[in-house]
Amino acid sequence: MCGIIGYIGEKNCVPILLEGLRRLEYRGYDSAGIALIKDGRFHIQKKAGKVSDLAEAIRLLDGTFTATLGMGHTRWATHGEPNDANAHPHWDATKKIAVIHNGIIENYAAIRTKLVRDGHTFTGKTDTEVLAHLIGVMYEESKDLTTAVRHALAEVEGTYGLVVLSVHEPDKMIAARKGSPLILGVGEGENFVASDASAIVDHTRNVVYLDDGEIAVVTREGFRTVTIDDVSVTKQVQEVTLELSQIERGGYEHFMLKEINEQPETITNAMRGRLLVDQGNVVLGGLRHVMDKLLCARRFVITACGTSWHAGLVGKYMFEQIAKMPTEVEYASEFRYRNPIIRSDDVVFLISQSGETADTLAAAREAKAKHATVLGIVNVVGSSIARESHGGVYIHAGPEIGVASTKAFTSQLTVLALITLMLARARGMSEADGRVLAEEIASLPDKVRAILRNTETIKAIAHEFKDTPTALYLGRGANFPVALEGALKLKEISYIHAEGYPAAEMKHGPIALIDEAMPVVVVVPKDAIYEKVMSNIQEVRARKGRIIAVANEDDDEIEGLAEFVIRVPRTYGFFGPIINVIPLQLLAYYIAVARGTNVDQPRNLAKSVTVE
Ligand code: G6P
């Protein structure tokens, strides 16, 4: 969601803050702002639009906008439209305190009403401005910034990652976290606050992960952490391993294209050191201590949002069909409020690229409160879901910057395949059968590479259909979630309406939409239900729909039926989605490029959804 960066040190922080905001822009990008403290005064610039708009506004100030203490914010609007007034930072009533905030203050309306009664006026519509005023009120009482922040936060309900600066105490930043990620970056004579490490990694690799309910007082020399009740907390400094090259575009036109092309490596990384092909088995250190729980579980529940939920749907096929484990999959946002029947012998998997998605984190807490074993399948190391789970498996896909998830999806599926094989072996699958599956998993990167080498057909299809107002995606079995994911990719980045459907279910509704203009993308690998999907294709053809098939290289029948055929290597059924989704990612990408949309930062979306 929103991006936060703060700096205190000896350098001019404006370029540091702007560069940090540029790196954080994938989290939210409808407005941005910077607050500096210099010569005992605040200097604030904020603008609707991209970080580049803010940078241009600052450039026009002609070098006068410099300081050694400051903070920056890039916003994804929750309360109030994205305009200059609603952009962060926000002032208190005296304009002596400024706040940037990620999250939602749920009781802001009640606080605002009370403040208005006391004579406060507000310039915008955000919950953050209300919080800033509340901190100002608390400062009048305590005359101490840290105490004021503690007292204000004691009154708010909701979530926050925030930074507070004040000209009353121009030697510190106050940072606080509840529900929205925040880290401290520890440097030499300089310190940072950021919503994720990518913003500060070219300055320091030493970070401290704040936990919920913690407040940090950050100075040039160091930091101290307390709880809202003023109890001191000792924090560990940890090293992040992020490389700068991982968060640069590296010659690609878009991060999304870079990330699609990284998949042979990221899938390899997901299995590195874990897949033992010779033994037909898998070792997963993060699950070793919960192996009993996994093997004795009554059932598995997978919960997630967005693309990660699609990975969960494929995971159900793997867990049930190969590991013989009953599995349910549910949107985290539904799970958390449903009062689900969870027992201590259930294992709940949370799948999340960011590890910070608010609904998925809440689902984890719900499952924990009900005494289930809670396991994360997460990309971002040290993220909230990773830290709050009983165990889990990192997918090691590296930073994913494009808002539309691609490489995280295939790595999530790879990890699900690994867990499946490990459990199947532990439950009696023979070494020989295990070896067959292990070899299949090991072959995935080369198969992806083969698809990526040959994108001409996909580009031609993109050119043909770039102006379509709608598209239908069909698949069956484990490839039904692939159809959902293909449709999601298209709508996310090209703004074309698209629906994913189980191919056979089409005749109960979507078939009414099919005419000679309707593109119908069908995932039809040569698996056990190939003939069934071919029948569904016939049904589309009979209504003159324009068929785009994702089919295996050795499929001769499909040419006669489909107008376009995208060839993919043959893959063992339940692992097929890892391969079959690649052309659909590329198709969405090339259509979006042809339409001239902002591929990496599509409108209204955010990479890491830390509000519910
Ligand atoms: C947002 C992103 C999606 C992502 C979803 C879940 O909607 O735009 O790409 O799939 O959140 O995110 P997570 O980090 O939990 O996988």
Side-chain angles (χ1 to χ4, degrees), residues 308-320:
S308 299
W309 179 72
H310 293 161
L313 292 178
V314 179
K316 175 181 166 75
Y317 282 91
M318 297 186 194
F319 284 164
E320 291 197 337

Side-chain angles (χ1 to χ4, degrees), residues 7 11-20 34 36 58 65-67:
Y7 176 88
K11 299 178 191 142
N12 173 20
C13 64
V14 175
I16 296 172
L17 297 179
L18 281 173
E19 181 57 19
I34 279 184
L36 307 175
I58 289 172
F65 202 72
T66 61

Side-chain angles (χ1 to χ4, degrees), residues 176-179 182 209-215 235 387-388:
R177 169 195 164 136
K178 185 180 161 208
L182 211 56
Y209 293 96
L210 289 186
D211 283 307
D212 279 354
E214 291 177 352
I215 298 172
K235 303 295 292 180
R387 287 186 295 143
E388 293 198 18

Side-chain angles (χ1 to χ4, degrees), residues 305-308 351-355 357 360 403 405 492 606-607 609:
C305 303
T307 288
S308 299
I351 307 182
S352 176
Q353 186 285 128
S354 62
T357 301
T360 313
V403 165
S405 183
E492 279 179 316
K607 183 68 187 160
V609 182

Side-chain angles (χ1 to χ4, degrees), residues 233-295:
V233 190
T234 308
K235 303 295 292 180
Q236 295 279 330
V237 178
Q238 301 181 31
E239 201 181 328
V240 286
T241 52
L242 197 65
E243 291 301 328
L244 264 188
S245 63
Q246 293 179 297
I247 50 175
E248 302 288 354
R249 278 210 310 270
Y252 284 95
E253 198 181 337
H254 297 102
F255 278 109
M256 184 176 175
L257 186 61
K258 175 182 178 231
E259 288 158 6
I260 290 172
N261 277 284
E262 279 172 357
Q263 288 175 108
E265 285 75 44
T266 50
I267 293 171
T268 306
N269 289 342
M271 59 177 91
R272 193 186 303 282
R274 296 166 166 176
L275 182 68
L276 312 175
V277 179
D278 291 349
Q279 297 167 37
N281 213 336
V282 169
V283 277
L284 294 167
L287 297 184
R288 197 172 288 143
H289 64 294
V290 290
M291 215 43 198
D292 284 355
K293 298 271 185 196
L294 284 162
L295 293 175

